[in-house]
Amino acid sequence: MRFRRFKLDLQVIIYYTARIIMGLAVLMVIPLITALLFQEWKIALDFLTGILLSLITAFAFNLFTSPNAYKLKLSWVHGLVAVTLAWFIGVILAAVPYYLSGFFGSFLDAAFDAMSGFTTTGLVLIQDLDHVPYGINMWRHLLTFLGGQGMVVLALTFLFRGTSGAFKLYAGEAKDEQLLPNARNTARVIWFISIIYLLVGTLVLWLTGMIIGLSPLRSFFHGLWVFMAAWSTGGFAPQSQNIMYYHSALYEFIIFFFITAGSFNFALHYTVFQGKLREFWRNIEIISFFITVNLLFIIVAFSLKQSGIYPHFELFRKGFFHLLSGHTGTGFMTIYASQFLRWSDLAFLGLLIAMLFGGSACSTAGGFKALRIGIILHTVIREVKRMINPERAVITERFHHLRDVLLEERHIRAALLIVILYIATFTITTLANAAAGYPLMMSMFEAASVTGNVGLSIGVTAPAMPDLLKALYILVMWVGRLEFMAVFAGIAFVVETLRRK
């Protein structure tokens, strides 16, 4: 009986994993078409190989499942393990066209960039980025756009039939806001919101690109790709100089808006789309985000002003841009990585904290998340109230997140658990960087960036870094993006499988 239950569990997990992988194969058609349009025949063949491998993998998985597996109700274990497995296999398959293109030193490097895209981190090991074909650049930015919305969200939107308990799959990608009663409809709303922003954002950046001197065709693709990375807080850019390549304050100002919007909760976007504009000013995440951004910018600006690195306008343009880029988990840069070493220790620390704080829950951003920071602050307020009031007084604390919510111990435990896990991961990664021979400050900076899925780099991330460190970064990006629990559930399921055998 127990073995039969386990066999059913495995069938359900494999069924949904296969569907998610099939979604990845469908997505590869876009860079394939792009490569064909630009007569990049070798690149087109690389993507055709990737599509075939993905379809073969999905069909091979289907051989071990029942056609009626979708009728079985999903449990939390099914959802979390399926998401973990799909992300792991998806990264390997997504890396195949990368590796075949010849722009990576090894398959590990290709897998690193694939994971960086899926997790919307933005750290890269690609070589000769300025001469990368259109097909590869399209794939890079599609990965980060898909990663922001989620592979599961894509599969729920287009590939799944009626799925009982689909919310478990949806939540496996660290999304817990159900915009509509049905998880599939929630996924469709997320994609609807993202596509609306994609159309508007690409148009605005396309026109801006032509204003600053790019050709119409080049401006269109750069606008499309930069928007995808901005909205998904992914940090990828089509040129090695990142956003500095455009040398335009106007371009950077437009990016300010899109990276901020991309870091906000999808539920907040949906609420504002419905005309409930007051929610924007009352929401705990927005309040928490703007408080931390402004406080940290005061610290960074004061320190940069004292050091005299930038004149007045450049201080805002460089200081605030990178603080916002770090806080939203985007990772766009308008300076060279080595120039961060010129920042004073206090400014450096302010940016490091911003990278760990991150954006909103159920958004494309990583990090602690503004909701958890807000809950922790409300917990402090509640405890202070308890100290100054009589012992018999009943002290309650409420916060507003789409609705008024009574602060309970479960909220506090959940927030503190994830924050502690992020801090532990940051510490381990810092120690690993230092053990590899990097200076402590550089080690801390890069550790904060990879842990918070940010993408800002001080120069540690490079093709020459040790392979063990690359593998660690892949793992850290993975667990950070899925917020630990899905990966832990997957590992526990594998251990249990081996134990039973």
Side-chain angles (χ1 to χ4, degrees):
M1 182 68 181
R2 188 178 179 186
F3 178 75
R4 183 173 178 274
R5 178 68 259 176
F6 173 73
K7 189 177 178 181
L8 286 174
D9 289 341
L10 201 57
Q11 283 195 15
V12 173
I13 290 167
I14 290 175
Y15 172 82
Y16 288 106
T17 301
R19 284 294 183 275
I20 296 170
I21 292 171
M22 202 173 292
L24 188 64
V26 172
L27 199 71
M28 283 190 197
V29 173
I30 297 175
L32 170 63
I33 293 173
T34 305
L36 290 173
L37 288 174
F38 286 93
Q39 299 181 4
E40 298 166 350
W41 309 121
K42 180 186 178 303
I43 299 301
L45 184 60
D46 296 341
F47 279 105
L48 186 59
T49 304
I51 290 169
L52 291 174
L53 282 175
S54 299
L55 290 176
I56 290 169
T57 303
F59 287 133
F61 272 39
N62 280 327
L63 294 176
F64 297 96
T65 63
S66 163
N68 295 320
Y70 73 94
K71 294 181 179 179
L72 298 172
K73 186 173 182 179
L74 275 166
S75 68
W76 283 108
V77 171
H78 296 150
L80 294 175
V81 176
V83 168
T84 303
L85 186 59
W87 273 67
F88 180 77
I89 297 172
V91 164
I92 294 172
L93 293 171
V96 170
Y98 272 170
Y99 180 64
L100 294 176
S101 71
F103 285 87
F104 293 87
S106 67
F107 190 82
L108 179 64
D109 289 9
F112 183 102
D113 273 38
M115 181 63 83
S116 184
F118 275 131
T119 58
T120 70
T121 302
L123 294 170
V124 296
L125 296 178
I126 192 170
Q127 299 176 18
D128 196 19
L129 178 57
D130 294 331
H131 300 98
V132 164
Y134 277 84
I136 292 296
N137 248 330
M138 180 63 80
W139 185 229
R140 294 176 67 235
H141 292 86
L142 268 176
L143 282 183
T144 197
F145 191 65
L146 171 65
Q149 282 50 249
M151 280 197 287
V152 169
V153 173
L154 175 70
L156 281 173
T157 304
F158 301 109
L159 297 175
F160 287 158
R161 289 178 279 181
T163 303
S164 178
F167 182 70
K168 276 82 171 182
L169 277 171
Y170 173 76
E173 284 190 321
K175 289 181 172 65
D176 54 8
E177 303 289 356
Q178 196 161 349
L179 312 186
L180 296 171
N182 183 287
R184 190 180 182 191
N185 290 336
T186 294
R188 288 176 172 174
V189 167
I190 288 176
W191 272 103
F192 174 78
I193 292 169
S194 297
I195 295 300
I196 292 295
Y197 274 103
L198 176 66
L199 295 174
V200 174
T202 301
L203 177 62
V204 171
L205 288 172
W206 182 18
L207 295 174
T208 306
M210 289 190 288
I211 290 171
I212 65 176
L214 296 177
S215 68
L217 181 65
R218 191 171 178 81
S219 179
F220 170 76
F221 279 102
H222 278 237
L224 173 66
W225 294 334
V226 169
F227 173 80
M228 283 180 171
W231 172 251
S232 297
T233 62
F236 280 170
Q239 302 291 147
S240 60
Q241 289 184 318
N242 209 274
I243 303 305
M244 182 171 58
Y245 172 81
Y246 303 101
H247 298 288
S248 169
L250 175 61
Y251 214 82
E252 292 165 21
F253 178 77
I254 293 169
I255 288 171
F256 278 162
F257 172 78
F258 289 126
I259 64 177
T260 303
S263 72
F264 289 163
N265 195 309
F266 281 111
L268 179 64
H269 285 286
Y270 181 62
T271 303
V272 172
F273 273 29
Q274 289 180 309
K276 301 173 184 177
L277 301 181
R278 287 188 62 214
E279 180 62 34
F280 187 83
W281 307 108
R282 298 180 62 200
N283 193 279
I284 183 177
E285 290 191 301
I286 301 299
I287 295 169
S288 172
F289 178 80
F290 278 101
I291 288 174
T292 53
V293 164
N294 284 288
L295 286 178
L296 289 171
F297 180 63
I298 290 171
I299 293 170
V300 170
F302 172 79
S303 184
L304 292 178
K305 176 69 175 175
Q306 291 292 101
S307 61
I309 298 175
Y310 305 117
H312 298 295
F313 177 68
E314 285 297 301
L315 187 148
F316 177 84
R317 187 175 169 185
K318 304 295 186 187
F320 187 73
F321 183 91
H322 289 98
L323 179 77
L324 190 65
S325 180
H327 206 311
T328 57
T330 306
F332 278 150
M333 296 171 63
T334 60
I335 62 176
Y336 292 109
S338 60
Q339 290 179 289
F340 280 122
L341 295 171
R342 296 172 55 201
W343 284 33
S344 60
D345 290 348
L346 190 58
F348 195 89
L349 182 62
L351 181 55
L352 189 149
I353 293 170
M355 288 193 286
L356 288 173
F357 277 6
S360 299
C362 193
S363 73
T364 63
F368 296 171
K369 304 293 176 60
L371 176 60
R372 297 188 183 101
I373 295 170
I375 287 173
I376 292 170
L377 289 175
H378 273 278
T379 303
V380 172
I381 292 169
R382 190 188 71 175
E383 295 308 307
V384 170
K385 286 180 179 178
R386 281 182 176 173
M387 291 173 62
I388 62 176
N389 279 281
E391 290 185 9
R392 293 183 179 180
V394 178
I395 306 299
T396 60
E397 185 69 20
R398 294 179 181 274
F399 60 90
H400 186 84
H401 180 56
L402 307 176
R403 64 185 186 280
D404 288 331
V405 181
L406 178 66
L407 181 65
E408 299 176 3
E409 296 304 316
R410 61 187 177 90
H411 298 130
I412 300 168
R413 282 196 306 270
L416 287 175
L417 174 62
I418 298 299
V419 169
I420 289 169
L421 287 171
Y422 269 115
I423 292 172
T425 305
F426 163 71
T427 303
I428 292 168
T429 310
T430 299
L431 293 174
N433 287 336
Y438 297 100
L440 181 60
M441 292 296 283
M442 292 180 68
S443 297
M444 292 175 65
F445 188 96
E446 212 79 1
S449 183
V450 72
T451 302
N453 299 126
V454 178
L456 292 176
S457 178
I458 201 168
V460 174
T461 302
M465 68 192 293
D467 285 349
L468 282 176
L469 203 55
K470 293 175 186 177
L472 176 64
Y473 276 27
I474 290 172
L475 177 62
V476 170
M477 287 188 284
W478 187 30
V479 299
R481 172 62 177 83
L482 298 182
E483 294 191 344
F484 305 98
M485 292 302 129
V487 177
F488 289 171
I491 293 171
F493 186 81
V494 171
V495 171
E496 180 66 10
T497 302
L498 295 174
R499 190 186 68 81
R500 288 181 180 183
K501 284 187 176 181

